[in-house]
Amino acid sequence: MKKITLALTLLTSMSFVFGQVSESVFLQAGYTNQSYYHLDNGEVTNVDNTNWDLAFDASSMGGSIRINGSYGTKLYLFGDANSWSSVDTVGFSWNEIINSDLSWSDGAFNSNSNSFTDYGWGEYSMISHFISGKTVHIIKFLDGSCKKIQIEKLLSGTYHFKYANLDGSNEVDTTVSKSDYAGKNFGYYSIQNDSALDREPIADSWHLVFTKYI
């Protein structure tokens, strides 16, 4: 089933007409919410869109990782996987990378992909059949604080990643498993709250999503 994303930039609510049916969805002041809508059954759910930082592709073959750019999260490529212990912003070129606005399969972490086995953040092995991380990124939040982050691997449907303060303190090693989000497009994670989030309805239960975009 194809999904259509309608991005709202000027209104916090939208009225729309399908045949003889007129409906409205409300995204709250500042577009803080996100609405999933079914053309026959109406709004499926209306959820907070400010409580996550990362979105991990939950499809069986997907490896997309997106950031919450609409809420001010920014991402920068620092270096290769060996640069984890040497992250330093002195002289760093803050070249922001963003999610694709054309495909959910191309998240900010997937930037600079060079081949069909290259996922940007990692490389797929035809021998081991898992994606091994190859990059270190800096992630910046709305309040201006930063952390370094490395997606280490995607193995047997589980994303393994770590993040820490830029000086290496407060390191967190954690995972997000696709199996926890069966039938959904993405599983979510809040770095600022150190927790995974299940915030999407089942993909087959909605047709439209009303949301804010960067």
Side-chain angles (χ1 to χ4, degrees), residues 127-142:
I127 299 174
S128 66
H129 301 293
F130 73 88
I131 306 173
S132 180
K134 64 172 188 173
T135 57
V136 172
H137 289 82
I138 293 176
I139 190 166
K140 188 175 184 179
F141 306 105
L142 184 63

Side-chain angles (χ1 to χ4, degrees), residues 37-202:
Y37 190 91
H38 189 283
L39 295 179
D40 296 321
N41 303 324
E43 186 174 64
V44 177
T45 188
N46 192 304
V47 295
D48 183 4
N49 198 33
T50 68
N51 60 359
W52 62 277
D53 301 305
L54 307 175
F56 294 86
D57 192 331
S59 65
S60 60
M61 301 298 291
S64 172
I65 305 175
R66 301 176 68 83
I67 61 171
N68 194 355
S70 64
Y71 189 58
T73 305
K74 297 183 178 183
L75 191 70
Y76 309 88
L77 176 63
F78 180 80
D80 62 28
N82 297 318
S83 65
W84 175 257
S85 61
S86 61
V87 173
D88 190 339
T89 59
V90 175
F92 180 63
S93 297
W94 295 89
N95 297 316
E96 184 180 355
I97 50 180
I98 63 175
N99 301 323
S100 168
D101 60 357
L102 300 177
S103 171
W104 283 346
S105 297
D106 296 319
F109 279 89
N110 305 103
S111 298
N112 303 315
S113 174
N114 297 313
S115 68
F116 76 96
T117 60
D118 185 355
Y119 284 75
W121 62 264
E123 187 78 26
Y124 175 75
S125 170
M126 302 294 287
I127 299 174
S128 66
H129 301 293
F130 73 88
I131 306 173
S132 180
K134 64 172 188 173
T135 57
V136 172
H137 289 82
I138 293 176
I139 190 166
K140 188 175 184 179
F141 306 105
L142 184 63
D143 63 4
S145 64
C146 296
K147 287 186 180 291
K148 58 182 178 180
I149 181 169
Q150 182 176 15
I151 313 300
E152 298 178 287
K153 60 186 173 183
L154 173 55
L155 173 64
S156 300
T158 297
Y159 296 89
H160 298 253
F161 61 102
K162 62 182 179 181
Y163 55 90
N165 295 332
L166 299 184
D167 63 4
S169 61
N170 296 325
E171 182 175 316
V172 175
D173 287 88
T174 189
T175 60
V176 167
S177 296
K178 294 183 179 186
S179 60
D180 292 334
Y181 308 97
K184 301 182 179 184
N185 291 313
F186 291 95
Y188 296 82
Y189 192 89
S190 170
I191 293 177
Q192 298 175 88
N193 295 316
D194 299 324
S195 62
L197 299 167
D198 186 356
R199 52 182 301 280
E200 273 190 18
I202 297 296

